[in-house]
Amino acid sequence: MTATGPADAPDVVDVVALGESMVALLPTRPGRLADVPSFDRGIGGAESNVVCALAAAGHPARWVSRVGADGFGDHLVETIGSYGVDVSRVRRDPDRPTGVYFRTAGDRAGDDHEVAYYRAGSAASAMSAGAVDLDAVRAGRVLHLTGITAALSATCLGLLRELTAPRPGRPLVSFDVNHRPRLWTDGNSPRVLLELARGADLVFVGEDEAADVWGLDDVDAVRHALPGPEVLVVKQGARGATVFDREHVLHVPAPRVDVVAAVGAGDAFAAGFLSATLRGLPARDRLRHGHLTAAAALTVPGDLAPPPSRDHADRLAALDDTAWGRLRLGPGWTQAPAAPEEAPTP
């Protein structure tokens, strides 16, 4: 990293992500939260997931947030920092706690899945334009934000409005809609999320998410609603993803994946796409790198997974359409030594 301006100015990194991370209490066995006797500790946070994956892929990355002056805050800062992420601009709040949540072991899409959040009044909810280091936030080639932060508090929403407002010399602003219905109690999510997305340069949104939030039923309708962002990525689950930019409308199918846990894939996709964007790769390869990083997350139990090595991912992304269509990825694929065209499923 290289310094810019005065000696106390923040180093410029590839990606800065701002948002809340929480301590996740993950059950040691299946069952209702009422019945699970013990939990393992992990971390959970869309923005920190993205920068952890990017740092693991070799990109200088920074996470900016607020955590409590408590043991859970220590755990978050230490764990995220262990991925190589710069956590020096995370502020500690002596009066508010670090957020935590509990979840059951089942698939999040299942009817029996439970999540219990304890984040109201958290340290991160006190973020504001005056309570974070804006110079450090803007000192990246890419600034990654999500709609989750906008739902935490009025001051957090004000901060996101400040960061997505037109400004000379701002970094490329990446915005993942990441709609969390339980966080929006005022019914304003469609309007607010559309406003923030229109202020970004690069937007990620799920096709089903766009239907739920905005009533948009196909990718063209999403682009019509969001004509401003230079790049729009509509994620379509197992069917793949479509990218709109000033030159292309391109759909790239996802490889077949033997899913272990359907968690963390959206954040991993964003990390893979952003990594390829930072490297100046073409649109098709950006989508393929997104799919590959998502497949790494889908084939492990938790939210975070080591991405494939850059060489491995580049070889797979360079496959012709026929070989890409045959690709099948299972647990352990990121470490598999077999040739990619053999589509191993370890």
Side-chain angles (χ1 to χ4, degrees):
M1 298 183 289
T2 58
T4 62
D8 60 349
D11 291 340
V12 175
V13 294
D14 278 355
V15 179
V16 177
L18 176 143
E20 181 173 34
S21 190
M22 296 180 291
V23 169
L25 283 303
L26 311 174
T28 54
R29 72 181 192 193
R32 302 184 309 153
L33 287 178
D35 300 328
V36 175
S38 60
F39 297 81
D40 290 328
R41 184 179 60 178
I43 66 170
E47 301 86 0
S48 57
N49 285 348
V50 170
V51 286
C52 285
L54 282 162
H59 293 278
R62 174 180 298 128
W63 176 55
V64 179
S65 189
R66 289 175 72 88
V67 299
D70 50 34
F72 286 149
D74 293 341
H75 177 65
L76 286 175
V77 172
E78 292 166 5
T79 302
I80 294 168
S82 72
Y83 283 84
V85 175
D86 173 15
V87 293
S88 64
R89 306 305 171 113
V90 176
R91 294 187 175 176
R92 310 303 291 264
D93 191 320
D95 301 316
R96 298 175 180 85
T98 303
V100 300
Y101 74 95
F102 297 76
R103 69 172 173 84
T104 49
D107 188 335
R108 288 181 183 176
D111 293 337
D112 59 347
H113 185 67
E114 298 174 72
V115 182
Y117 288 105
Y118 299 89
R119 72 194 308 177
S122 70
S125 71
M127 287 190 295
S128 68
V132 300
D133 185 340
L134 290 179
D135 289 338
V137 172
R138 292 179 170 128
R141 295 170 60 193
V142 173
L143 169 60
H144 183 68
L145 308 168
T146 82
I148 297 171
T149 305
L152 297 181
S153 68
T155 60
C156 284
L157 174 55
L159 174 58
L160 259 63
R161 284 176 166 152
E162 166 71 19
L163 294 173
T164 55
R167 178 187 176 93
R170 79 175 192 180
L172 185 150
V173 175
S174 164
F175 181 74
D176 192 332
V177 171
N178 247 324
H179 181 235
R180 296 290 187 269
R182 292 176 60 180
L183 293 178
W184 293 93
T185 59
D186 56 10
N188 287 331
S189 60
R191 176 184 58 81
V192 171
L193 293 172
L194 191 63
E195 170 200 340
L196 296 172
R198 286 174 171 170
D201 304 300
L202 165 59
V203 173
F204 298 97
V205 64
E207 187 175 41
D208 55 348
E209 187 175 46
D212 290 342
V213 181
W214 299 315
L216 304 174
D217 55 7
D218 60 50
V219 295
D220 292 326
V222 179
R223 185 52 163 172
H224 182 75
L226 291 170
E230 183 174 345
V231 179
L232 169 66
V233 180
V234 182
K235 298 172 290 183
Q236 298 167 280
R239 291 184 290 121
T242 299
V243 63
F244 296 83
D245 60 25
R246 300 307 183 202
E247 300 175 357
H248 305 91
V249 178
L250 178 67
H251 175 82
V252 171
R256 289 173 293 166
V257 178
D258 296 330
V259 175
V260 172
V263 295
D267 301 331
F269 181 95
F273 190 93
L274 288 173
S275 175
T277 298
L278 287 160
R279 296 171 59 202
L281 299 184
R284 185 204 70 170
D285 291 0
R286 296 181 191 193
L287 288 174
R288 286 188 173 186
H289 276 273
H291 288 319
L292 292 167
T293 312
L298 288 169
T299 50
V300 299
D303 287 29
L304 284 168
S309 70
R310 184 170 292 185
D311 286 347
H312 190 178
D314 283 346
R315 289 197 305 272
L316 292 175
L319 293 172
D320 62 38
D321 289 346
T322 300
W324 177 263
R326 292 199 303 263
L327 196 60
R328 182 170 181 172
L329 304 170
W333 75 269
T334 59
Q335 306 302 317
E341 58 268 24
E342 295 175 4
T345 305

